[in-house]
Amino acid sequence: MKIKNVILTKSYTGFYFDDQRAIKKDAAHDGFMYDGEALTDGFTQIRVPGEAISVQIILDDDSVAVGDCAAVQYSGAGGRDPLFLADDYIPKIQKYMIPHLIGEDLSTFKPLAEKYDQFEIDGHRTHTAIRYGITQALLNAVAVANKKTMVEIIRDEYNASYQTIERVPIFAQTGDDRFTNVDKMILKEVDSMPHALINNVKEKLGYNGEILLEYISWIRNRIISKRLKEDYAPILHVDVYGTIGIAFNQNIDRIIDYCKDLEKTAFPFKIRLEGPIDTGDREGTMLALKEITKRLDDENIGVEIVADEWCNTLEDIKYFADQKAGHVLQIKTPDLGGLNNIAEAILYCKNAGVGAYCGGTCNETNISAEATTSVAMACHADLCLAKPGMDVDGGFMIVKNMMERVIALINSRK
């Protein structure tokens, strides 16, 4: 089976692009928007509607496969590619990539993914969002051509020894509605929560971390009082976007002491802390996370560190994993480009003894969520993000239902 045609359309994502630099500089909320000037290149305002490019691959038999080119909410921050606007990139894909895609054989995924993940235009590798969406469409197309699920294609080509396809624990995020959305997570018994979007010291963390401690205490008590089953014990996973380092002047001793407070406050629930420090560069952030991780282990403090910012590419993930710069690494799926890199990153983390969190962003689509959930299942990731959106319900529904459908379908073939 070969590719007969490729169709592109401008699409919208499940959330927005946000200027992280401006938000960290105390940009004020105005309803759902922000007041103030944008600080990151490409942004004309602090919050911009999220855009994607849908890629439809038409096969010889007129079957259709789909992928979505999408980028993270905080584009242009933490070493990532710039803001991704559909009108800027559709002409480039049409001119430079589609002529190569037409006629490609769809027998296997891996060589195609590697080819288009390395694709260059005018001597430069294409935007991560393009590589992300093109390889999604190719994976879907290979699955259609071979009458298999996307999970089976990835498993057979990357992780053939893993025969039993199982559910991956799901992690949901509240966005700024960090109280009502926790209740939704408790009702649906989400495995890990709440993320909480702690991206500002003044409003969300507190200059001594007091606002976050109060919030963790509230979550702990809310779960205990409202859970329907006594054995429901989600992992509390909070993303702080480097604000703890900002509040404590990058002082590791103070961060460790604060982790002790978080552990006590969260008990009896396990707690993970994503991005406690961001030095503004890869090496400095890696070294700081490595030291924090080691100190927590040496002092037997039950807080797990999750690396995110500056741990973007497959190369970054291998580097952070080798250095043990975090107990868990977020594989922020749009930042890796091709799905081939996501599969390799998950497997590399697992082989290195580091937790593999197949994450992503609220600013994706249902199509990209299903593709990356397929990779997470095939490679047996430790955690999978419910996405897109910040409402909990939509992202959780897409990811959870997709897992259940795939497992039921594969089991029916036995």
Side-chain angles (χ1 to χ4, degrees):
M1 194 77 70
K2 293 185 177 182
I3 297 175
K4 184 167 71 173
N5 196 11
V6 180
I7 300 170
L8 306 178
T9 52
K10 179 177 179 178
S11 299
Y12 288 91
T13 64
F15 203 66
Y16 297 78
F17 292 117
D18 286 341
D19 181 346
Q20 188 185 78
R21 286 180 61 200
I23 293 169
K24 282 186 174 182
K25 291 286 187 180
D26 295 333
H29 271 289
D30 178 9
F32 186 68
M33 302 179 186
Y34 287 95
D35 284 333
E37 292 185 9
L39 300 177
T40 301
D41 288 345
F43 283 82
T44 56
Q45 56 193 41
I46 296 173
R47 172 158 282 173
V48 178
E51 296 184 10
I53 299 173
S54 286
V55 181
Q56 296 185 82
I57 288 178
I58 315 301
L59 283 64
D60 279 341
D61 65 354
D62 290 327
S63 298
V64 181
V66 186
D68 279 349
C69 304
V72 297
Q73 174 188 11
Y74 295 119
S75 290
R80 300 186 177 99
D81 276 3
L83 187 66
F84 184 75
L85 300 178
D87 290 341
D88 293 338
Y89 290 97
I90 285 177
K92 294 181 180 180
I93 300 172
Q94 288 175 328
K95 180 177 179 180
Y96 295 104
M97 298 189 80
I98 289 179
H100 291 271
L101 284 162
I102 292 173
E104 291 281 20
D105 182 77
L106 295 169
S107 300
T108 58
F109 169 71
K110 187 174 181 178
L112 283 174
E114 291 175 350
K115 176 179 178 178
Y116 287 95
D117 182 58
Q118 295 294 327
F119 197 90
E120 293 185 353
I121 297 175
D122 294 331
H124 299 284
R125 205 168 174 193
T126 58
H127 195 291
T128 48
I130 295 174
R131 293 183 263 139
Y132 190 46
I134 293 291
T135 56
Q136 289 169 40
L138 288 170
L139 174 60
N140 192 191
V142 171
V144 169
N146 289 275
K147 295 181 169 58
K148 292 183 178 180
T149 65
M150 293 187 287
V151 175
E152 291 167 301
I153 296 296
I154 295 292
R155 180 198 60 188
D156 294 346
E157 296 191 32
Y158 289 88
N159 195 27
S161 63
Y162 178 57
Q163 289 301 305
T164 304
I165 300 297
E166 299 174 338
R167 298 165 187 81
V168 176
I170 297 174
F171 171 41
Q173 54 182 333
T174 62
D176 279 324
D177 194 358
R178 60 184 57 80
F179 295 96
T180 298
N181 280 339
V182 163
D183 283 355
K184 293 181 181 182
M185 294 174 189
I186 295 169
L187 285 169
K188 293 189 174 179
E189 296 188 337
V190 174
D191 302 293
S192 186
M193 63 165 177
H195 188 303
L197 202 66
I198 308 299
N199 57 8
N200 179 277
V201 175
K202 180 180 178 181
E203 295 180 0
K204 300 176 181 179
L205 180 79
Y207 291 105
N208 292 296
E210 70 279 2
I211 298 173
L212 179 57
L213 284 173
E214 183 179 346
Y215 178 62
I216 294 297
S217 177
W218 177 84
I219 294 173
R220 173 203 178 274
N221 294 333
R222 193 69 173 173
I223 294 168
I224 291 171
S225 65
K226 296 297 182 181
R227 60 187 173 187
L228 302 178
K229 299 174 185 175
E230 285 197 16
D231 63 351
Y232 173 56
I235 294 172
L236 305 188
H237 181 148
V238 182
D239 193 345
V240 297
Y241 297 95
T243 55
I244 292 176
I246 294 171
F248 298 157
N249 296 313
Q250 315 291 42
N251 186 303
I252 301 296
D253 289 334
R254 292 188 66 190
I255 292 173
I256 296 299
D257 286 341
Y258 186 64
C259 285
K260 293 177 185 177
D261 293 336
L262 285 170
E263 179 186 26
K264 291 175 185 176
T265 303
F267 185 82
F269 304 112
K270 180 177 180 178
I271 186 162
R272 286 177 177 152
L273 195 59
E274 183 170 344
I277 193 168
D278 180 350
T279 66
D281 66 297
R282 185 180 85 152
E283 186 67 12
T285 301
M286 185 282 294
L287 290 172
L289 292 179
K290 179 179 180 178
E291 182 178 352
I292 293 168
T293 300
K294 187 176 187 304
R295 286 276 303 273
L296 292 172
D297 290 344
D298 290 347
E299 298 180 34
N300 199 30
I301 300 168
V303 175
E304 288 190 345
I305 297 300
V306 183
D308 179 9
E309 310 295 336
W310 301 102
C311 187
N312 301 326
T313 66
L314 177 59
E315 178 191 3
D316 294 337
I317 288 163
K318 289 180 177 179
Y319 184 46
F320 277 59
D322 289 342
Q323 296 296 320
K324 297 293 188 289
H327 300 94
V328 178
L329 303 187
Q330 179 178 180
I331 298 158
K332 206 170 188 80
T333 54
D335 288 336
L336 272 79
L339 298 189
N340 51 304
N341 297 322
I342 298 165
E344 291 183 20
I346 295 170
L347 295 172
Y348 194 92
C349 286
K350 295 185 74 67
N351 289 333
V354 176
Y357 159 32
C358 187
T361 175
C362 54
N363 191 49
E364 294 194 50
T365 72
N366 59 312
I367 299 297
S368 65
E370 291 192 358
T372 53
T373 298
S374 297
V375 179
M377 294 175 73
C379 297
H380 202 206
D382 297 292
L383 194 65
C384 184
L385 179 63
K387 59 186 183 180
M390 288 286 201
D391 66 335
V392 178
D393 299 311
F396 183 78
M397 171 191 68
I398 290 167
V399 171
K400 177 70 171 174
N401 292 355
M402 192 259 176
M403 287 186 190
E404 299 297 338
R405 286 196 306 270
V406 168
I407 290 168
L409 180 58
I410 292 174
N411 287 342
S412 75
R413 294 173 179 162
K414 297 178 182 178

